[in-house]
Amino acid sequence: MIPLVQVKWQGKKYAVDVDTTMPGEVFKMQLFSLTGVAPDRQKVLVKGGQLKDETDMEKLGLKEDQVLMMMGTVGELPKAPVQPVKFVEDMSEAEMAQALAIPAGLVNMGNTCYMSATLQCLKTVVPLRKALDSFNARRAPSSLAQDQRGKLVSSMRQLFQQLSKSGEGVPPIVFLQFLRQCFPIYAEQDPRHGGYQQQDAEECWNQLVNTMDQVLAEEGGTGSFVSKYMVGQTVTSWTTAEAPDEPPTVHRESIRNLNCVIDKSVNYLAQGVKRALNQTAVKHSDTLGRDAEYTSTQQISRLPEYLPVTFKRFFWKTSENVAAKIVKSVKFPLDLDVSEFCTPELQDRMRPAKQFVRDREDREAHARKMAKQKQSSQAEADGGETKPAEGGSDAKAFELDPALRADVGCNPTGLYELIGVVTHIGRSVNSGHYIAWVRKEKNVGGPDPSFGGAGGKPAADSSAPQHWWYKFDDDDVSMVTDEDILKLCGGGNWHTAYILLYRAKKLD
């Protein structure tokens, strides 16, 4: 039974339905909506004294039309804001970027999009930013070539600091000047159209990483952050079926990226990577005393925390004397497992940590699914209002391999997540346009827009986590979703993934 009582306050009576199954706090909120007196300012007199938030309303024995007395005054009206409210449509670009914490882009200085896209992706590498912050230019090598590289790295640090503080596009004038001094190719002029020549983003990426590896060496000769966080190791074995008894030739080498070969048989990233790791070549055989066809099997023996994957989209087209582009669609994942490309020994060492991450992701996916179902049911019951649901966290302990624990900057699981993409639109490496797409970390920077709401896009899989991404089209920065990123696989005259930057999934 829900009795209707009369509440008397300041000479007026208010009829209130009392749900006796709810505590006194709910009744106070009803009075607040009728009188404007906040619950903490109310004194409601009931049998046995004053109504409290935790009072069991059923025990009060309220009767129909019973009169209750309430004392209390309405609080102060809200004061007008010191600064006038400014709506989004009235904000300047700088004010809007500051309100939404959208990071700044780089002004195009004339066919410099290859450089801008590269820098925006490299800026996501946390160890790089830390190494730049601690870099002392005075300790850089003293030869002229090394000194120029030291100035290039110093200007990169200053440029990243400007990007972190600015709400508007930043012109990379000083950095571009030193880049062209260190690598004159970036000062080449376009003989047909004038101005500076468009350049290759992959080449720019490699030269910047090489420069940082040389300049940002740590004290004590322990190497740079590049050798720790961005360099892997491989073991390559060469054999020939023409001489089965010939011992395999084994080489060990360092890698800074994986390649994805593209041909008619490649539709997915893993297929292209496998093709790149297993190749054939004609070599001289000492056993046979002649040339023979050899097959190489390349396996990864160390995985870095940050792993770029490059699509081999450009090839030299002799008939047109141009580096033409392969536009074929090759799908890539947001989450990448590269353990199949590793040596059996590394796979065994990574297995416990990998299983730990897999189990955690399964629990999180189940919690998200249950939360969505619970919120959907709650929304129907509460007329559209949703409340967050709680998920479980039963994690099984595991022992991380001692060698992996001691290897700072390695990936101990073989599992990666995509955090950056450099795309190219156009038909040749010396034309077109480059754009960077960088994943926004959740609860970092500006507010995270909600998915499925106004302007949001619902996930195809309710159990899959969703992320927003920053699209850096030079100094024009906007936000897109995971679904937009997956559309960058190629297959037409659209932005096509050229470099993917993956980061190791965290254990904690």
Side-chain angles (χ1 to χ4, degrees):
M1 178 180 175
I2 299 181
L4 179 70
V5 300
Q6 302 291 329
V7 178
K8 191 173 182 180
W9 175 72
Q10 291 190 350
K12 296 181 180 179
K13 284 187 180 181
Y14 298 88
V16 185
D17 290 319
V18 182
D19 186 348
T20 57
T21 63
M22 304 299 289
E25 183 180 15
V26 174
F27 183 65
K28 284 186 174 184
M29 289 301 298
Q30 289 177 274
L31 296 179
F32 175 49
S33 66
L34 293 171
T35 64
V37 180
D40 59 344
R41 301 173 67 90
Q42 296 176 13
K43 292 184 180 179
V44 182
L45 303 180
V46 295
K47 181 180 179 181
Q50 184 176 320
L51 182 70
K52 298 181 179 180
D53 289 349
E54 63 275 11
T55 298
D56 186 344
M57 301 296 289
E58 194 169 8
K59 292 183 179 179
L60 295 179
L62 297 174
K63 298 179 181 179
E64 194 76 12
D65 287 329
Q66 181 175 340
V67 178
L68 302 178
M69 296 292 296
M70 184 184 85
M71 294 180 288
T73 57
V74 178
E76 258 185 82
L77 292 175
K79 294 181 179 179
V82 177
Q83 303 246 343
V85 176
K86 182 173 284 191
F87 297 97
V88 173
E89 54 266 28
D90 299 325
M91 293 182 179
S92 65
E93 289 187 7
E95 291 171 330
M96 188 182 302
Q98 184 177 7
L100 299 177
I102 293 178
L106 289 165
V107 177
N108 194 318
M109 307 300 293
N111 275 340
T112 57
C113 56
Y114 67 91
M115 179 195 73
S116 299
T118 298
L119 287 172
Q120 292 290 6
C121 272
L122 285 175
K123 188 172 178 286
T124 65
V125 179
V126 175
L128 164 60
R129 298 203 304 268
K130 291 181 178 179
L132 287 174
D133 289 341
S134 60
F135 173 63
N136 188 337
R138 290 174 297 180
R139 295 180 183 175
S142 57
S143 69
L144 178 61
Q146 294 280 359
D147 184 54
Q148 293 298 328
R149 287 194 288 267
K151 291 179 180 178
L152 176 64
V153 172
S154 292
S155 65
M156 182 186 292
R157 177 185 60 187
Q158 295 169 358
L159 183 59
F160 281 3
Q161 291 173 348
Q162 284 180 280
L163 288 171
S164 299
K165 297 176 182 177
S166 177
E168 298 180 342
V170 177
I173 300 173
V174 177
F175 177 83
L176 182 58
Q177 176 185 351
F178 287 122
L179 179 69
R180 287 172 174 164
Q181 289 179 5
C182 290
F183 306 103
I185 187 175
Y186 300 117
E188 288 184 351
Q189 299 286 316
D190 188 336
R192 296 179 59 187
H193 304 98
Y196 288 103
Q197 179 76 46
Q198 176 68 285
Q199 299 293 338
D200 184 358
E202 182 196 9
E203 188 174 358
C204 182
W205 179 293
N206 291 334
Q207 288 174 331
L208 288 179
V209 172
N210 288 339
T211 300
M212 290 183 289
D213 191 23
Q214 296 166 2
V215 175
L216 297 177
E218 297 179 357
E219 295 183 11
T222 58
S224 73
F225 84 93
V226 174
S227 61
K228 290 183 178 180
Y229 295 95
M230 299 185 73
V231 173
Q233 303 290 334
T234 63
V235 179
T236 305
S237 176
W238 288 92
T239 59
T240 175
E242 299 177 38
D245 297 331
E246 181 178 288
T249 303
V250 178
H251 300 286
R252 298 180 183 274
E253 58 183 324
S254 299
I255 59 169
R256 290 180 178 169
N257 71 294
L258 291 178
N259 290 321
C260 176
V261 173
I262 303 176
D263 59 26
K264 292 181 180 180
S265 66
V266 173
N267 297 304
Y268 297 93
L269 180 71
Q271 295 173 328
V273 171
K274 189 174 182 179
R275 290 294 301 273
L277 293 175
N278 299 278
Q279 298 185 2
T280 59
V282 175
K283 301 173 60 176
H284 181 76
S285 170
D286 292 335
T287 302
L288 300 173
R290 60 175 175 81
D291 288 346
E293 186 177 88
Y294 280 79
T295 300
S296 73
T297 302
Q298 189 176 20
Q299 294 180 311
I300 303 171
S301 58
R302 183 196 190 259
L303 286 169
E305 182 174 339
Y306 291 86
L307 180 66
V309 181
T310 305
F311 290 94
K312 308 310 289 183
R313 289 199 172 274
F314 296 103
F315 68 99
W316 187 255
K317 197 170 184 178
T318 308
S319 61
E320 299 181 17
N321 198 33
V322 67
K325 180 179 176 181
I326 303 172
V327 297
K328 185 179 189 296
S329 171
V330 179
K331 297 184 184 301
F332 57 87
L334 298 175
D335 296 318
L336 179 65
D337 182 358
V338 298
S339 44
E340 66 172 298
F341 307 124
C342 298
T343 62
E345 295 79 12
L346 181 57
Q347 290 185 34
D348 289 340
R349 293 204 305 269
M350 294 191 304
R351 189 167 288 113
K354 177 181 176 180
Q355 190 59 48
F356 172 81
V357 174
R358 289 292 197 205
D359 292 342
R360 182 187 66 197
E361 290 178 340
D362 288 344
R363 291 192 303 272
E364 292 173 348
H366 179 72
R368 283 191 296 270
K369 189 174 182 179
M370 292 299 100
K372 185 171 183 179
Q373 292 177 358
K374 185 174 181 180
Q375 289 177 3
S376 178
S377 301
Q378 187 71 37
E380 292 178 5
D382 297 345
E385 181 181 358
T386 61
K387 299 178 182 179
E390 299 178 358
S393 59
D394 297 331
K396 295 181 180 179
F398 76 99
E399 187 67 27
L400 181 62
D401 182 86
L404 294 176
R405 183 186 297 110
D407 189 357
V408 177
C410 78
N411 180 352
T413 67
L415 303 175
Y416 287 91
E417 56 188 353
L418 186 66
I419 60 168
V421 184
V422 174
T423 61
H424 178 267
I425 185 171
R427 290 291 175 172
S428 76
V429 71
N430 293 323
S431 64
H433 184 56
Y434 290 97
I435 287 179
W437 315 68
V438 175
R439 196 181 81 173
K440 180 188 182 301
E441 299 300 326
K442 290 189 174 182
N443 302 317
V444 175
D448 295 329
S450 60
F451 288 91
K457 301 179 182 179
D461 179 4
S462 62
S463 64
Q466 285 282 303
H467 291 92
W468 285 92
W469 292 69
Y470 295 117
K471 175 185 175 183
F472 291 97
D473 187 354
D474 291 325
D475 57 342
D476 182 10
V477 186
S478 55
M479 297 184 75
V480 298
T481 65
D482 286 341
E483 285 77 11
D484 298 306
I485 297 301
L486 293 175
K487 294 176 183 177
L488 304 174
C489 57
N493 191 26
W494 181 242
H495 303 286
T496 305
Y498 184 29
I499 302 173
L500 305 175
L501 179 59
Y502 284 96
R503 181 182 63 197
K505 291 191 173 184
K506 296 181 181 179
L507 285 173
D508 52 5

